[in-house]
Amino acid sequence: MSYNTFGREFRFTTWGESHGPALGATVDGTPPGVPVDEAFIQQFLDRRRPGTSKHTTQRREADQVRILSGVFEGKTTGTPIQLMIENTDQRSKDYGEIATSFRPGHADITYHLKYGIRDYRGGGRSSARETAARVAAGGVAQAVLAHLLPDLRITGYMVQMGALHLDRSRFDPRAIPDNPFFLPDAASVDEWSDYLDGIRKDQNSVGAAIEVLIEGCPPGLGAPVYAKLDTDLAAAMMSINAVKGVEIGEGMAAAALTGTANADEIRIGNDGPMFLSNHAGGILGGISTGQDIVVRFSVKPTSSITTPRQTINQHGAEIDLITKGRHDPCVGIRAVPVAEAMAACVILDHLLMDRAQTGGVRGEIG
Amino acid sequence: MSYNTFGREFRFTTWGESHGPALGATVDGTPPGVPVDEAFIQQFLDRRRPGTSKHTTQRREADQVRILSGVFEGKTTGTPIQLMIENTDQRSKDYGEIATSFRPGHADITYHLKYGIRDYRGGGRSSARETAARVAAGGVAQAVLAHLLPDLRITGYMVQMGALHLDRSRFDPRAIPDNPFFLPDAASVDEWSDYLDGIRKDQNSVGAAIEVLIEGCPPGLGAPVYAKLDTDLAAAMMSINAVKGVEIGEGMAAAALTGTANADEIRIGNDGPMFLSNHAGGILGGISTGQDIVVRFSVKPTSSITTPRQTINQHGAEIDLITKGRHDPCVGIRAVPVAEAMAACVILDHLLMDRAQTGGVRGEIG
Amino acid sequence: MSYNTFGREFRFTTWGESHGPALGATVDGTPPGVPVDEAFIQQFLDRRRPGTSKHTTQRREADQVRILSGVFEGKTTGTPIQLMIENTDQRSKDYGEIATSFRPGHADITYHLKYGIRDYRGGGRSSARETAARVAAGGVAQAVLAHLLPDLRITGYMVQMGALHLDRSRFDPRAIPDNPFFLPDAASVDEWSDYLDGIRKDQNSVGAAIEVLIEGCPPGLGAPVYAKLDTDLAAAMMSINAVKGVEIGEGMAAAALTGTANADEIRIGNDGPMFLSNHAGGILGGISTGQDIVVRFSVKPTSSITTPRQTINQHGAEIDLITKGRHDPCVGIRAVPVAEAMAACVILDHLLMDRAQTGGVRGEIG
Amino acid sequence: MSYNTFGREFRFTTWGESHGPALGATVDGTPPGVPVDEAFIQQFLDRRRPGTSKHTTQRREADQVRILSGVFEGKTTGTPIQLMIENTDQRSKDYGEIATSFRPGHADITYHLKYGIRDYRGGGRSSARETAARVAAGGVAQAVLAHLLPDLRITGYMVQMGALHLDRSRFDPRAIPDNPFFLPDAASVDEWSDYLDGIRKDQNSVGAAIEVLIEGCPPGLGAPVYAKLDTDLAAAMMSINAVKGVEIGEGMAAAALTGTANADEIRIGNDGPMFLSNHAGGILGGISTGQDIVVRFSVKPTSSITTPRQTINQHGAEIDLITKGRHDPCVGIRAVPVAEAMAACVILDHLLMDRAQTGGVRGEIG
C-alpha cells in the first residue's frame, strides 16, 4: 500500500530514518520542462533546518539536498525525481535505556506493538526528521506552481504557542521571515522568546497552533466527494508529526455560528464573483472558491522532555524516564515550513487532477 | 481518479444525486464469509433517515437499501457489494430561480465553476443525501467488524449545538438512542429541543460539534506516515458535508498544553500497557494505542435558510435569495450516524491493511 | 483494494453476479459536459448480447442499460455514473451437482479455495456475464473519446477460431458488423459457421484469437515505466475471461526477428514523422507513436462442455462431469466488443493522464 | 499518478536515468522482521549485471546496491526501504548526433513527443538500465517470500533466441546458472553462442522468448476481476523494456485448442486436488490453482544496431543513423533475472493482498 506516499497526480514517497545514512523523497508525476535545481529546493530546507536558533533542537544537520534523477539541464523531464538528504550529525552513542523504553506521548510504544521491531535511534521513522523529506518534495511542488500558477502564494505562520496568541490586529506577514517563530508580529517576538526560554528552563515543552494562508488559488480545485480540497488539506496537516487538530476557515468555531452569520454573501466584482466574507476559508463543497484558503492546525507539545515521567519498557518493567538529547521545546515552530510544503503539494496535486478531468475549463458566470 | 472512492483495502465508491432515480455505494474488498443482510444495514440507515423528528428535513424517504451483489445465502462472497437506495420523494417541481442561483455558503457556485454543469435539483451531488450511501457502506463495515473485532464499539453523539454544550459530567451513552439529538444527556434534551425550535422559527440554522468514541480498538492499527490512523479519520470526517474542523484527543486545545501536562503516562495493567490519561485520543505516531479513540468535528450551519441573503446568479446578476424547501436547521444532527459509518470504515480498512503488512502479529511487552 | 476497479483517471468498478438481480459498472473520473445517453451505450451492449445468433449462448438477456447517476439533461456532470443492467433470464432451477462440483478449466475450484464460499449460480462473479458491465463502461469511454478525439476509431475482429485463420489478404473491415464472428472477410463466414457448428455438434468448444486495431490515436499517450500504454492494454485484455496471451505489434513473433528487420524506419511525412513499417504496433517505450495501435489476444475454449470430463467435487469425491446449460461454443466471439470496450477505456485513461502531466503539449519536430 | 510504481501491497517505485548519478527503488509495504541485507540483494543484481560475458553490453557497472533505510540490525522494520545503485561507468562523451536523433524502434522519439525534453544520455529513463532497480526490489521480495513461502521457487530461462528454440525434451534447470543464456540445456550452449556471435558480427541484433516457472505457489492467490494473478503477471512482464507479447500456460496457442483438449482434469491427490495437465498455466479465473505457474514473453531485438537505418532528427531532417556504443545484441538475455524479479514482486503482492482480504484461510475440500 501507499503507506508512505502522499498525493494522487503529484505524488511523493518519503523514506529514511532519523539516524540512518540518508533520507529523502521520491517524487512522481511532475510536469516536464519546469525549471528547478538544488538551490531552489535548498531554500525551503534551510527554513526548516534544525540548529538555526536557540529555540530549536541543537542537532546540526546541513540538510543539503541532492537531486539524483528526473532533472536534466536544469529542467524536469517528467520522470521520477529522487531527492536525497544525507544525515551527517547522527551522534554515535550508547542508546542504552532509550532502546527499550517507551517515552510517554511518543510513538515508541505503538511502533513496537505494531511492527515488533523499530529503529530506536533518534525515533527512527517516527522522528520529525522525516519532515525534511516533505519539505524537499514541497520545493519541487513550489517550482511547478511558480511555473503554472505564478500568482499563488503560500504563507505559514504561528498563531499560538502555549498561552500566547497572535494578536490579529497586528498581523504583518513581512515580519515572518525575520524571527525564529514565523510570527507575523515583530513587536511580540521578544515576549514569545522569553516565554519559550521559560518553558525550556522548566524542562518542559509546549504546544502551538499554525495557520497557512493560500492566496491566489484559482476557483475550481477540489474533487468531491472523497478528494475534496479541504479533505486533502486536513489529511496533509494531520499527517505531520504531533498534529492533533485541523481547521478550515471558521474551523471548530463553526459549531457556534448561525446560518445568517456564517453565510458568505456574494456580489459581482471586477473579476467575477466577489465574496463579502470568508467564513468558509475559501472552500465550498470541497472546491476552491477563488478566495484565500485558510487552514489552521495544532501541534502538541514535544513528548521528549527532561522532566521524569512514569512509563514502562519493552521488558514490562515500570520505570521513570527522562528523555535526554536535543529536542525542540516547541516542535510547532518547525512545523511551519512543513505545513507550507504540504499545502503546496496539495494545491499542485489538485491542479493536475483538475487538468485531467475538466481540462482546466471553468464554468462561466454572466 | 478515485474521487468518489474512500478507503484502501475496504473501499467504497458512492454514486448518485439528490433527486436522481437512486443512489448507492459500491463496496469492494470485503472479507468473504461474513453474515450480512439488508435488515442489518437498514438499521443504520434508519438512524440517519430524514423526517424522523421535527428537527430534521421533512423530506420523507424510505431509504430502503437493496443488496444487488456480493452477498450469497446471507454471507459476503468477497466480490463487490452493490448497495442501492432508490429516491422516492424527489418532488417534481419547477426549480425556477434555484436552477441558476448560487446559495451563499453552498457548493452551488463551486460546482458550477468547476464543471460548467450541475444537477441543481436538491443540490445534486453536493447534497448531504450522498451520506445515505456512506451509511449503507458503513453498515457492511459494521458487519465485518462484528465478525472480526466483536469487542469494538463505535458511538457518536453531539457535544455542541450553537450556544449549547454537552455537560460532560452528565455523560450517559444510554441516552443517545432515545432523543433526536444523539445527546448523551437525557435531562438536557428539552433545552436542546427548545433552542433548535427557536433557531428554526427565526428562519435560521445553527452549527454543531460531534464526537465519535471508538472503544475496544486493538493497538497497532495505523500505517505511518501518510496513512496514519488519525490522518485517515481526519480525512473521513472532513469529507462529510459542511465539516470545518477535526480533532483527535485534545485537538486544537493541544496548542495550549505543556509537555508535562500532555504526557500520557504508562503503567503495567492486567492486559499489558495501562495509560493513566488519554490526551492523545488513543493514537500515537499514527498508530492506535489500544485506548479509546476520540474524534471530534464541527459542522457549519445549514447554508439553505429562509432569511434572504445577498448573492449572484449564473447570469451575473446580483440578487437576494431565500432558500425555500425542506432543510435541516442543524445538519450536524444527522451527521452523527454518518460519522459512525465513516469511523467504522476507517477502522476496518486499517484492520485489513494491518493484516496485509504484519499479519496481525503484535510486538510483545514483557 | 481496487480489485474490481480498472483504470487510473477514468475508472470503472464492475459489480454483480451472473444470476443476481443486476450487474453494472460505477464509472468515475468522466470529464463534464460530454453528451451521452442510454441509447448511445446500448448500441455497444447490443453487439455483445447473448442469444443473437446460434453461435452464442441461448440465454436471452435484454441487457438493457440504465443510467442512474452522473448524467443530467443528456450530458455528463463529472460525478460518478452508475450503469445498471438487470438480469432477467436467470432461470430458476435446481443447481444440484453444479453447486458443489468443479468444472475442469473453470474458476469454480479456485473461487472455492480462495473464498470458501461462491455464488455457484451460472458461475457467479466468474461468469463472462461480468463483461456486460465492462461494455457499458466502455460506452461511456467511447462517448468521451468521440468528444475529445473525434478521429479515433477502435475496431475489433476475430483473426483465428480453432483451426481457421483470417486470410489477411482479404481483410475488409466493412464486413465485420454483418456476420456473427466479427470476421473482416465476408467470403469466409460460411466456412467459419460450418466449422463452429461441427464443434458444437461434437459437444466441444474451441479457442479464438482477436485483434483490436486503434486508428487515429495521437502520439504521446502512455506513462513509462509502469503505466506504459502497452502494459495497460495487456492488463486490460488479460483481465477478460479466458484470455491466455496478449500481443502488441509483432507480439511473440518478435522473438524470431533481427534488429534490421524489426526497425520501423522513419521519414518526414506531411504531418510530421512517417513510419515506414509498424512492427512495434504503434507503441515505443510504452508511449504511442501516432501509428495504428495493434493488440492481439487469445481466448481459450469454453470450459463448460457437454462431453464428460474427470473432476472432483467439494466433498472430495472424484466424479465425471457434464456441464449442461447454455454455453457459447466459442467464447472468443463475444470477447470482441469486450476488447473494444477495454481498449476505449485504456486510451481515454491515458488521454486524461497525459492532460494531467503534460497538459497535452507535444514536443516539436522541425 | 503512480506512473513509476509497481504493485499494490508490496510496492516499489523506481527512479533514475541511465547516465545520472544513481538509480534505485523505493520499496514500501514490506512486512517487518524479515532478514535481509545488501549481500542477499546483490546476488540478484550480479546475475543481471552488464559486462559479464561477451554476449552482453561491455559497459562495466559494479551495480553495487546500498540499503539506505527500512532495515535495522539485519531485519526489515516495515518502513520504506530505499535501494540505491550508483552509476559508475557513465563515460563522459560528446553525445553529438544522438542527442537530437531518433533511433528507429527506440523510445527516443516518443519521449521527445510526449515530454518535449529527454535525458538523451544512454537512453535516459527509457534505458534498460532501469531494470537494475527492479532486480533490487525483487531481491527484497525474494527475501520476504523466503520467509513467508519457503517452498516457492521462481526460475527464469530462455526458450528462444531468434531462430533457435529450446528443445524441451532436454530441459534441465540445473544448467541455467552455468551459461550466459540462462539456457536449461547445457549441450546447446555452444550453438547459441555461435549463433549470437554471428548476429553481432553482422552488426545486427535478435529477439528472444523467456519463460518463468513458479513452483510451490499456494492456491488462492489472485484477486478477480481486475487484479487477477495473470493480469498482474502480464502487466509485470509487458512493462519490461522491449517486451511485445505475454503468455500464460498455453498462451496464444490456446486459440487453436478444443475444450476437450484444453480441460485440465482433476483427481484427488495426497495433498488435495491433483490436476492431470496444466494447459491453464496454474491460474483459473485469475486465481492460482496450486499448480506450477507458467509465464512466457517475447523480447524484440535491440533497436540500437550498427547497421545504418533511415530515420529523422529533432530538427525534422531525414538522416541515416548508426547507433554506436555498447549494446547487447540480444537484450532478451538480461531480461531473465528481471522477469524473475517481477514475478517475485507479483507473487508477494498477491500473498499480502490475500492476507488482507481472506486472512489466508482457504476453502476446504473433503
Side-chain angles (χ1 to χ4, degrees):
Chain A
M1 292 295 298
S2 307
Y3 301 139
N4 292 278
T5 301
F6 186 85
R8 292 177 171 82
E9 302 287 352
F10 178 81
R11 291 167 73 87
F12 65 87
T13 306
T14 66
W15 54 272
E17 275 79 36
S18 176
H19 284 49
L23 53 81
T26 311
V27 180
D28 202 4
T30 311
V34 176
V36 68
D37 59 17
E38 291 171 353
F40 183 86
I41 297 171
Q42 192 62 45
Q43 63 179 317
F44 298 98
L45 279 162
D46 288 347
R47 296 184 67 224
R48 196 212 72 100
R49 198 172 56 201
T52 51
S53 90
K54 64 180 174 182
H55 300 301
T56 57
T57 168
Q58 292 310 298
R59 173 172 176 166
R60 301 213 173 271
E61 284 290 357
D63 273 3
Q64 202 68 37
V65 70
R66 281 187 66 199
I67 298 175
L68 296 183
S69 65
V71 176
F72 183 60
E73 297 181 344
K75 290 188 176 172
T76 59
T77 58
T79 64
I81 299 174
Q82 182 58 254
L83 303 166
M84 182 172 72
I85 300 161
E86 289 184 68
N87 287 322
T88 55
D89 188 27
Q90 333 94 289
R91 296 190 189 169
S92 171
K93 67 169 182 181
D94 174 15
Y95 284 90
E97 193 178 26
I98 201 74
T100 55
S101 300
F102 305 129
R103 284 165 283 179
H106 198 277
D108 295 335
I109 190 168
T110 50
Y111 269 68
H112 173 75
L113 287 170
K114 183 179 187 77
Y115 298 114
I117 180 176
R118 67 191 166 99
D119 181 347
Y120 48 76
R121 301 169 305 164
R125 181 69 182 155
S126 73
S127 166
R129 183 134 186 77
E130 183 269 343
T131 60
R134 304 182 188 217
V135 171
V140 175
Q142 295 271 17
V144 181
L145 288 170
H147 193 67
L148 296 178
L149 287 183
D151 292 336
L152 188 86
R153 196 167 49 196
I154 298 171
T155 313
Y157 42 87
M158 285 182 84
V159 295
Q160 184 185 354
M161 182 172 63
L164 303 180
H165 291 257
L166 169 68
D167 179 347
R168 287 186 181 265
S169 71
R170 298 210 300 240
F171 180 82
D172 177 6
R174 290 166 305 178
I176 298 170
D178 297 330
N179 69 77
F181 300 103
F182 302 101
L183 188 66
D185 170 14
S188 300
V189 170
D190 286 347
E191 184 191 7
W192 286 51
S193 186
D194 292 346
Y195 176 79
L196 194 55
D197 274 346
I199 292 285
R200 198 181 59 242
K201 283 169 190 160
D202 286 352
Q203 307 192 313
N204 215 335
S205 61
V206 75
I210 287 96
E211 190 166 279
V212 179
L213 179 68
I214 306 169
E215 299 166 288
C217 180
L221 302 194
V225 297
Y226 298 108
K228 287 174 173 168
L229 187 55
D230 37 4
T231 300
D232 283 2
L233 285 167
M237 300 310 155
M238 197 61 99
S239 75
I240 300 173
N241 307 50
V243 172
K244 301 305 287 183
V246 183
E247 302 187 311
I248 306 290
E250 289 287 346
M252 296 305 293
L257 293 178
T258 61
T260 46
N262 187 62
D264 295 318
E265 295 184 296
I266 321 175
R267 300 283 81 181
I268 295 291
N270 293 330
D271 306 319
M274 181 182 65
F275 293 86
L276 305 184
S277 58
N278 190 13
H279 298 283
I283 301 173
L284 288 174
I287 303 170
S288 63
T289 62
Q291 295 173 274
D292 289 351
I293 295 172
V294 184
V295 186
R296 217 161 27 253
F297 62 95
S298 65
V299 181
K300 71 176 182 182
T302 317
S303 51
S304 300
I305 50 177
T306 47
T307 300
R309 297 282 95 186
Q310 299 184 83
T311 189
I312 62 173
N313 66 20
Q314 213 165 305
H315 313 300
E318 300 190 332
I319 57 171
D320 274 16
L321 189 70
I322 293 176
T323 308
K324 299 183 203 106
R326 302 158 293 171
H327 296 285
D328 292 25
C330 177
V331 280
I333 298 175
R334 292 204 287 138
V336 174
V338 178
E340 290 174 340
M342 295 304 287
C345 291
V346 170
I347 296 295
L348 175 57
D349 197 22
H350 276 276
L351 183 70
L352 301 185
M353 285 161 73
D354 189 69
R355 294 214 299 198
Q357 190 175 15
T358 74
V361 180
R362 292 282 84 94
E364 290 183 9
I365 291 180
Chain B
M1 292 297 297
S2 307
Y3 301 139
N4 292 279
T5 301
F6 186 84
R8 292 177 170 83
E9 302 288 351
F10 179 80
R11 290 167 74 88
F12 65 87
T13 305
T14 67
W15 55 270
E17 275 79 37
S18 177
H19 284 48
L23 53 81
T26 312
V27 180
D28 201 4
T30 311
V34 176
V36 68
D37 59 17
E38 291 171 352
F40 183 85
I41 297 172
Q42 191 62 45
Q43 64 178 318
F44 298 98
L45 279 162
D46 288 348
R47 295 183 68 224
R48 196 212 73 101
R49 197 171 57 201
T52 50
S53 91
K54 64 180 173 181
H55 300 300
T56 57
T57 168
Q58 291 311 296
R59 174 171 175 167
R60 299 211 174 273
E61 286 288 356
D63 273 1
Q64 202 70 38
V65 69
R66 282 188 66 201
I67 297 174
L68 297 183
S69 63
V71 177
F72 183 60
E73 296 180 344
K75 289 189 177 173
T76 59
T77 57
T79 65
I81 299 175
Q82 182 58 253
L83 303 166
M84 183 172 73
I85 301 161
E86 290 185 67
N87 287 322
T88 55
D89 188 25
Q90 333 94 289
R91 295 190 190 169
S92 171
K93 68 169 182 181
D94 174 15
Y95 284 90
E97 193 178 26
I98 201 75
T100 54
S101 300
F102 305 127
R103 283 166 284 178
H106 197 277
D108 294 336
I109 190 167
T110 50
Y111 269 69
H112 173 74
L113 288 170
K114 183 179 187 78
Y115 298 115
I117 180 176
R118 67 193 167 98
D119 181 346
Y120 48 75
R121 301 168 306 164
R125 182 70 182 154
S126 73
S127 166
R129 184 138 184 73
E130 183 268 343
T131 60
R134 305 182 187 217
V135 171
V140 175
Q142 296 271 18
V144 181
L145 288 169
H147 194 67
L148 297 178
L149 289 182
D151 292 336
L152 188 85
R153 196 167 50 195
I154 298 171
T155 313
Y157 42 88
M158 285 183 84
V159 295
Q160 184 185 354
M161 181 172 64
L164 303 180
H165 291 257
L166 169 68
D167 179 346
R168 286 184 181 265
S169 70
R170 299 210 299 240
F171 180 82
D172 178 6
R174 291 165 304 177
I176 297 170
D178 297 331
N179 69 76
F181 301 105
F182 302 100
L183 188 65
D185 170 14
S188 299
V189 170
D190 287 347
E191 185 192 8
W192 286 52
S193 187
D194 293 346
Y195 176 79
L196 194 57
D197 275 346
I199 292 284
R200 197 180 60 242
K201 283 170 189 160
D202 286 350
Q203 307 193 313
N204 215 335
S205 61
V206 74
I210 288 94
E211 191 165 278
V212 179
L213 178 68
I214 306 169
E215 298 165 289
C217 180
L221 302 193
V225 295
Y226 298 107
K228 288 174 173 168
L229 187 56
D230 37 4
T231 299
D232 283 3
L233 285 167
M237 299 310 155
M238 197 61 98
S239 75
I240 300 173
N241 308 49
V243 172
K244 301 305 288 182
V246 183
E247 302 187 311
I248 306 291
E250 289 286 347
M252 295 306 294
L257 293 179
T258 60
T260 47
N262 187 62
D264 295 320
E265 295 184 296
I266 322 176
R267 300 282 82 181
I268 296 291
N270 293 330
D271 306 320
M274 182 183 63
F275 293 86
L276 305 184
S277 57
N278 190 11
H279 299 283
I283 301 173
L284 289 175
I287 303 169
S288 63
T289 62
Q291 294 173 275
D292 289 350
I293 295 173
V294 184
V295 186
R296 219 162 25 254
F297 62 93
S298 64
V299 180
K300 70 177 184 182
T302 317
S303 51
S304 302
I305 51 177
T306 47
T307 300
R309 295 283 95 185
Q310 300 183 83
T311 189
I312 62 173
N313 66 21
Q314 212 165 306
H315 312 301
E318 298 189 331
I319 58 172
D320 274 16
L321 188 71
I322 293 175
T323 309
K324 298 183 202 106
R326 304 158 292 171
H327 296 284
D328 291 26
C330 177
V331 279
I333 298 174
R334 292 203 287 136
V336 174
V338 179
E340 291 174 339
M342 295 303 287
C345 291
V346 169
I347 297 296
L348 175 57
D349 197 23
H350 275 275
L351 183 69
L352 301 185
M353 286 161 73
D354 189 67
R355 295 213 301 198
Q357 190 175 16
T358 73
V361 180
R362 292 282 85 93
E364 290 182 10
I365 291 180
Chain C
M1 291 296 298
S2 306
Y3 302 139
N4 293 277
T5 301
F6 187 85
R8 292 177 170 83
E9 302 287 353
F10 178 80
R11 290 168 73 88
F12 65 87
T13 306
T14 66
W15 53 272
E17 275 78 36
S18 177
H19 285 49
L23 53 82
T26 311
V27 179
D28 201 3
T30 310
V34 175
V36 67
D37 58 17
E38 290 171 353
F40 182 85
I41 297 171
Q42 192 61 45
Q43 64 179 318
F44 298 98
L45 279 162
D46 288 348
R47 295 183 68 223
R48 196 212 73 101
R49 197 171 57 201
T52 50
S53 90
K54 65 180 172 181
H55 300 301
T56 57
T57 168
Q58 291 311 295
R59 174 172 176 166
R60 300 211 174 273
E61 285 289 357
D63 273 2
Q64 202 69 38
V65 70
R66 281 188 67 200
I67 298 175
L68 296 183
S69 64
V71 177
F72 183 60
E73 297 181 344
K75 289 187 177 173
T76 58
T77 58
T79 64
I81 299 174
Q82 182 58 255
L83 304 166
M84 183 172 73
I85 301 162
E86 290 185 66
N87 286 322
T88 54
D89 188 26
Q90 332 94 289
R91 295 190 190 170
S92 172
K93 67 169 181 182
D94 175 15
Y95 284 90
E97 193 178 25
I98 203 73
T100 54
S101 300
F102 306 128
R103 285 165 281 179
H106 197 277
D108 295 336
I109 191 167
T110 52
Y111 269 68
H112 173 75
L113 288 170
K114 183 180 186 79
Y115 298 115
I117 180 175
R118 66 191 167 97
D119 181 347
Y120 49 76
R121 301 168 305 165
R125 181 70 182 156
S126 73
S127 166
R129 184 137 185 75
E130 183 268 343
T131 60
R134 306 182 186 217
V135 171
V140 175
Q142 295 272 16
V144 181
L145 288 170
H147 194 66
L148 297 178
L149 287 184
D151 292 336
L152 187 86
R153 197 166 50 195
I154 298 172
T155 313
Y157 42 87
M158 286 183 84
V159 295
Q160 184 184 355
M161 182 172 63
L164 303 180
H165 291 257
L166 169 68
D167 178 346
R168 287 185 181 264
S169 70
R170 298 210 300 238
F171 180 82
D172 177 7
R174 291 165 305 177
I176 297 171
D178 298 331
N179 69 77
F181 301 104
F182 302 100
L183 188 65
D185 170 14
S188 300
V189 170
D190 286 349
E191 183 192 7
W192 286 51
S193 184
D194 292 346
Y195 176 79
L196 194 57
D197 275 346
I199 292 284
R200 197 180 61 241
K201 283 170 189 159
D202 285 352
Q203 307 192 313
N204 214 336
S205 62
V206 74
I210 288 94
E211 191 166 278
V212 179
L213 179 68
I214 305 169
E215 299 166 288
C217 180
L221 302 193
V225 295
Y226 298 109
K228 288 174 172 169
L229 187 55
D230 37 4
T231 300
D232 283 2
L233 285 167
M237 300 309 155
M238 197 61 99
S239 76
I240 300 173
N241 308 49
V243 172
K244 300 305 287 183
V246 183
E247 302 187 312
I248 306 290
E250 289 287 346
M252 296 305 294
L257 293 179
T258 61
T260 47
N262 187 61
D264 295 319
E265 295 184 296
I266 321 176
R267 300 283 81 181
I268 296 291
N270 293 330
D271 307 319
M274 181 182 64
F275 293 86
L276 305 184
S277 57
N278 189 12
H279 298 283
I283 301 173
L284 288 174
I287 303 169
S288 63
T289 61
Q291 294 173 277
D292 289 351
I293 294 173
V294 184
V295 186
R296 218 162 26 252
F297 62 95
S298 64
V299 180
K300 72 176 182 182
T302 318
S303 50
S304 300
I305 52 177
T306 47
T307 301
R309 296 281 97 185
Q310 300 183 83
T311 189
I312 63 174
N313 66 21
Q314 214 164 304
H315 313 300
E318 299 190 332
I319 57 171
D320 275 16
L321 190 70
I322 293 177
T323 310
K324 299 183 202 104
R326 304 158 292 171
H327 295 285
D328 292 25
C330 177
V331 280
I333 298 174
R334 291 204 287 138
V336 174
V338 178
E340 290 174 340
M342 295 303 287
C345 292
V346 169
I347 297 295
L348 175 56
D349 197 23
H350 275 276
L351 184 69
L352 301 185
M353 286 161 74
D354 189 68
R355 295 214 300 198
Q357 189 175 17
T358 74
V361 179
R362 291 283 86 91
E364 289 183 10
I365 291 179
Chain D
M1 294 295 297
S2 307
Y3 302 140
N4 292 278
T5 301
F6 186 84
R8 294 176 170 83
E9 302 288 351
F10 178 81
R11 291 168 73 89
F12 66 87
T13 306
T14 66
W15 54 273
E17 276 77 38
S18 176
H19 284 49
L23 53 82
T26 311
V27 180
D28 202 4
T30 310
V34 175
V36 68
D37 59 17
E38 291 170 353
F40 183 84
I41 298 171
Q42 191 62 44
Q43 63 178 319
F44 298 97
L45 279 162
D46 288 348
R47 294 183 69 223
R48 197 213 71 102
R49 197 171 58 201
T52 50
S53 89
K54 64 180 173 182
H55 300 301
T56 56
T57 168
Q58 291 312 297
R59 173 171 176 167
R60 299 211 173 272
E61 286 288 357
D63 273 2
Q64 201 70 36
V65 69
R66 282 188 65 200
I67 298 175
L68 296 183
S69 64
V71 176
F72 184 59
E73 297 180 344
K75 288 188 177 172
T76 59
T77 58
T79 64
I81 299 175
Q82 182 58 254
L83 304 166
M84 183 172 73
I85 301 161
E86 290 185 67
N87 286 322
T88 54
D89 188 27
Q90 333 94 289
R91 296 190 188 169
S92 171
K93 68 169 182 181
D94 175 15
Y95 284 90
E97 193 178 27
I98 202 74
T100 54
S101 300
F102 305 129
R103 283 166 284 178
H106 197 277
D108 295 335
I109 190 167
T110 50
Y111 270 67
H112 173 74
L113 288 170
K114 183 180 187 76
Y115 299 114
I117 180 176
R118 68 192 165 97
D119 181 347
Y120 48 76
R121 300 167 306 164
R125 182 69 181 156
S126 73
S127 166
R129 184 136 185 75
E130 182 269 343
T131 60
R134 305 182 187 217
V135 171
V140 175
Q142 295 271 17
V144 181
L145 288 169
H147 193 67
L148 296 178
L149 288 184
D151 292 336
L152 188 84
R153 196 167 49 195
I154 299 172
T155 313
Y157 42 87
M158 286 183 84
V159 294
Q160 185 186 353
M161 181 172 63
L164 302 181
H165 290 258
L166 169 68
D167 179 346
R168 286 184 182 266
S169 70
R170 298 209 299 238
F171 179 82
D172 178 7
R174 292 166 303 177
I176 297 171
D178 298 330
N179 69 77
F181 301 104
F182 302 101
L183 188 66
D185 170 14
S188 300
V189 171
D190 286 348
E191 184 192 6
W192 285 51
S193 185
D194 292 346
Y195 177 78
L196 193 56
D197 275 346
I199 292 285
R200 197 179 61 242
K201 283 170 190 160
D202 286 353
Q203 309 193 313
N204 216 334
S205 62
V206 74
I210 288 93
E211 191 166 279
V212 178
L213 179 69
I214 306 169
E215 298 165 289
C217 180
L221 302 194
V225 295
Y226 298 109
K228 288 173 173 169
L229 187 56
D230 37 3
T231 300
D232 283 3
L233 285 168
M237 300 308 155
M238 197 61 99
S239 75
I240 300 173
N241 308 50
V243 171
K244 302 304 289 182
V246 183
E247 303 187 312
I248 306 290
E250 288 288 346
M252 296 304 294
L257 292 179
T258 61
T260 47
N262 186 63
D264 295 319
E265 294 184 296
I266 321 176
R267 299 284 82 181
I268 296 290
N270 293 331
D271 307 318
M274 181 183 64
F275 293 86
L276 305 184
S277 57
N278 191 11
H279 298 283
I283 302 173
L284 289 174
I287 302 169
S288 64
T289 62
Q291 295 173 274
D292 289 350
I293 295 173
V294 183
V295 187
R296 219 162 25 252
F297 61 95
S298 65
V299 181
K300 70 177 185 182
T302 318
S303 51
S304 300
I305 50 177
T306 47
T307 300
R309 295 283 95 186
Q310 299 183 82
T311 189
I312 62 174
N313 67 20
Q314 215 166 301
H315 313 300
E318 299 190 331
I319 58 171
D320 274 17
L321 189 70
I322 292 176
T323 309
K324 298 181 203 109
R326 302 158 293 172
H327 296 284
D328 291 26
C330 177
V331 280
I333 298 174
R334 291 203 287 138
V336 173
V338 178
E340 291 174 340
M342 295 303 287
C345 292
V346 169
I347 297 295
L348 175 57
D349 197 24
H350 275 275
L351 183 69
L352 301 185
M353 286 161 73
D354 189 67
R355 293 213 303 197
Q357 189 175 17
T358 73
V361 180
R362 291 283 85 94
E364 289 182 11
I365 292 180

